Amino acid sequence: MQDPYSERMSASETRAASGLALVFAFRMLGMFMVLPVLATYGMDLQGATPALIGLAIGAYGLTQAVLQIPFGMLSDRLGRLPVIYFGLLLFALGAGLAAMADSIWGVIAGRVLQGAGAISAAVMALLSDLTREQHRTKAMAMIGMSIGLSFALAMVVGPLLTQAFGLSGLFWITAALALLGGVIVATLPRAEQHLQHRESGLAKQALGATLRHPDLLRLDFSILALHAILMASFVALPLALVEDAALPKENHWWVYLAALGIGFLAMIPFIIYGEKKRQMRRVLLGAVGVLLLCELFFWLFGHGLWALVLGMVIFFTAFNLLEASLPSLISKVAPAGGKGTAMGVYSTSQFLGAGLGGVLGGWLYQVGGLDLVFVVCAALAALWLLVVRSMREPPYVSGLRLPLSEAARANPDLTEQLLAVPGVSDAVVLPDEGAAYVKVDMQKVDRAELDRLVA
């Protein structure tokens, strides 16, 4: 029998975490493989205009933003698996619809339907059901890594697959990946119970406080602006490589490979500095400033191949840094028991930004060409910099969920006793859920005393 306090993940936990990480990765591949190719190959579709290409790029984000939180709540009521299977089926049907389309409107409809499969919250809730408390952070980190790697892979593989099989073939591959994700889910261990877990799931009671929290709102705006800039830029950058750098669209993959690879390695020292030296606010401000300078560089100097490659390397260094650090900041800033809700609002903001960025980028290019896209992206980055300037340095704390014994549930003074433990900055006790949520400084907390109080 597996020791419930073992420091090693069990075989079933490892299988669940790796399987769900693959499901996430397949969905992200399907979402992002079209990003570097739709602006170039999509213009051959009937009725295509730059504005409609932008809508096709961002359409999935609009439906994801609308349905992300409702699907998470639905999984609490109907069960995780039915919602996940239904979402993956919608995603596959949307990809099939886009693959069979010969007009831009058919591709837009397919992307809208793809986005309707908004299963991220349900997958995270299932992960909580299938892993023990002490391994949940590790399991979530596996999913986070899979998302980052799938984005990088999509930017390189998308152009190669489109060159080999065309835009229609790319969408059919996307549909197959979604169905394969369903097969993987079917092979996962079955959860014994649906766990209420406010660190990974949405709690309606915490929604009001989340939407009133100034620093959480700043971070929500940050991810919205980041993905709006990304999507708008990738309406323009593939076209800039063709128009200004005379690089055939079949060869764009090596530019993205170089930019993402170097950018990933270059951001690692800044992540380490921000966490070790507790300077995440400075890292955030610096990365936003670099993103602003990149857009100005594209506008003023991005008229040759090597100038565009250099700009993209720096762009992806800042992008990767922000994509990795913003969820960490949400985790630090969210109140005890509020991380899952904060992440739900954050994810909704991310998808909304992607949708708006695609639509805006296509329309700007149609109205004023590449220069207008880069100028407006720079203006959005400048606004973002103003929004986060007044953000406080985040508390360097981690969230824990502590299961309560029967005696601890009946203790009316437990909240005060938890707050009195050195290193604890916030605590919420929920006897009905049988758990306490605490925010702790891992360098200072007396974990043995926490365990004694809840036991």
Side-chain angles (χ1 to χ4, degrees):
M1 179 177 288
Q2 178 69 30
D3 177 2
Y5 300 103
S6 170
E7 290 304 312
R8 296 183 62 183
M9 293 180 76
S10 68
S12 65
E13 286 175 317
T14 302
R15 190 152 58 94
S18 56
L20 291 174
L22 274 177
V23 172
F24 254 103
F26 289 162
R27 286 181 69 252
M28 290 299 106
L29 275 172
M31 292 294 188
F32 286 118
M33 280 196 297
V34 301
L35 184 56
V37 299
L38 206 50
T40 48
Y41 288 85
M43 289 304 294
D44 296 331
L45 292 165
Q46 181 184 338
T49 66
L52 293 177
I53 290 290
L55 179 57
I57 287 175
Y60 86 93
L62 300 175
T63 42
Q64 283 269 331
V66 171
L67 295 174
Q68 183 79 12
I69 290 177
F71 266 47
M73 291 179 173
L74 202 60
S75 76
D76 291 334
R77 180 171 299 181
L78 300 181
R80 320 298 189 206
L81 294 180
V83 170
I84 292 172
Y85 286 136
F86 181 63
L88 289 171
L89 180 60
L90 284 179
F91 189 93
L93 290 173
L97 178 60
M100 292 186 291
D102 55 7
S103 75
I104 187 62
W105 287 107
V107 171
I108 291 169
R111 292 283 283 172
V112 168
L113 191 55
Q114 276 187 301
I119 61 169
S120 299
V123 171
M124 295 303 287
L126 180 60
L127 184 71
S128 293
D129 294 342
L130 294 173
T131 54
R132 288 167 292 159
E133 190 68 41
Q134 64 267 37
H135 301 307
R136 202 154 291 129
T137 300
K138 194 186 308 180
M140 289 179 179
M142 291 171 67
I143 285 182
M145 288 174 59
S146 77
I147 293 172
L149 289 173
S150 63
F151 174 76
L153 187 62
M155 297 299 293
V156 177
V157 172
L160 292 173
L161 290 176
T162 308
Q163 180 187 351
F165 304 109
L167 201 56
S168 175
L170 184 68
F171 280 118
W172 282 124
I173 292 169
T174 296
L177 288 174
L179 295 175
L180 181 57
V183 173
I184 291 172
V185 172
T187 66
L188 295 178
R190 290 295 174 261
E192 296 178 4
Q193 60 180 349
H194 292 325
L195 181 68
Q196 286 184 288
H197 197 301
R198 292 190 176 203
E199 293 298 286
S200 58
L202 187 80
K204 287 183 285 187
Q205 304 92 323
L207 193 56
T210 299
L211 295 175
R212 291 191 299 268
H213 195 297
D215 282 346
L216 285 178
L217 291 175
R218 289 185 180 95
L219 294 172
D220 293 335
F221 181 81
S222 295
I223 194 64
L224 185 150
L226 178 63
H227 278 257
I229 290 170
L230 173 73
M231 291 297 177
S233 296
F234 270 87
V235 171
L237 287 172
L239 295 170
L241 287 172
V242 172
E243 295 175 12
D244 293 342
L247 183 69
K249 57 190 178 184
E250 295 81 11
N251 296 330
H252 288 192
W253 65 270
W254 70 260
V255 176
Y256 304 131
L257 177 62
L260 280 160
I262 298 170
F264 177 79
L265 294 174
M267 69 99 177
I268 293 174
F270 297 102
I271 288 285
I272 295 172
Y273 166 77
E275 291 287 356
K276 293 288 186 183
K277 300 295 184 181
R278 301 198 165 188
Q279 294 288 338
M280 289 301 295
R281 179 180 176 274
R282 179 179 293 179
V283 168
L284 172 64
L285 291 173
V288 177
V290 169
L291 213 56
L292 166 59
L293 294 175
C294 277
E295 295 296 336
L296 293 175
F297 178 85
F298 288 137
W299 171 42
L300 295 171
F301 306 108
H303 304 301
L305 176 60
W306 293 109
L308 286 168
V309 171
L310 174 63
M312 280 196 230
V313 167
I314 299 172
F315 178 93
F316 275 114
T317 300
F319 174 82
N320 290 336
L321 180 56
L322 289 161
E323 188 79 354
S325 60
L326 286 172
S328 174
L329 287 167
I330 287 279
S331 181
K332 289 175 171 60
V333 171
K339 178 185 171 185
T341 305
M343 285 303 299
V345 176
Y346 172 88
S347 296
T348 298
S349 303
Q350 174 181 334
F351 289 121
L352 183 60
L356 294 176
V359 173
L360 185 65
W363 180 77
L364 290 171
Y365 177 77
Q366 185 165 312
V367 170
L370 296 171
D371 287 349
L372 185 60
V373 177
F374 296 135
V375 168
V376 172
C377 284
L380 179 55
L383 174 62
W384 179 6
L385 199 56
L386 289 174
V387 169
V388 294
R389 265 192 72 188
S390 55
M391 181 175 167
R392 297 166 296 177
E393 189 70 43
Y396 288 83
V397 292
S398 301
L400 297 176
R401 180 185 186 275
L402 305 172
L404 299 178
S405 68
E406 289 297 328
R409 292 189 199 197
N411 180 0
D413 301 320
L414 183 57
T415 302
E416 289 75 15
Q417 292 170 354
L418 289 170
L419 288 169
V421 175
V424 175
S425 61
D426 193 11
V428 174
V429 176
L430 301 170
D432 292 343
E433 188 180 321
Y437 294 90
V438 294
K439 301 299 288 276
V440 301
D441 186 331
M442 298 302 287
Q443 296 180 6
K444 300 176 181 178
V445 70
D446 184 346
R447 183 60 194 263
E449 177 62 10
L450 283 180
D451 291 338
R452 185 191 69 78
L453 287 172
V454 298

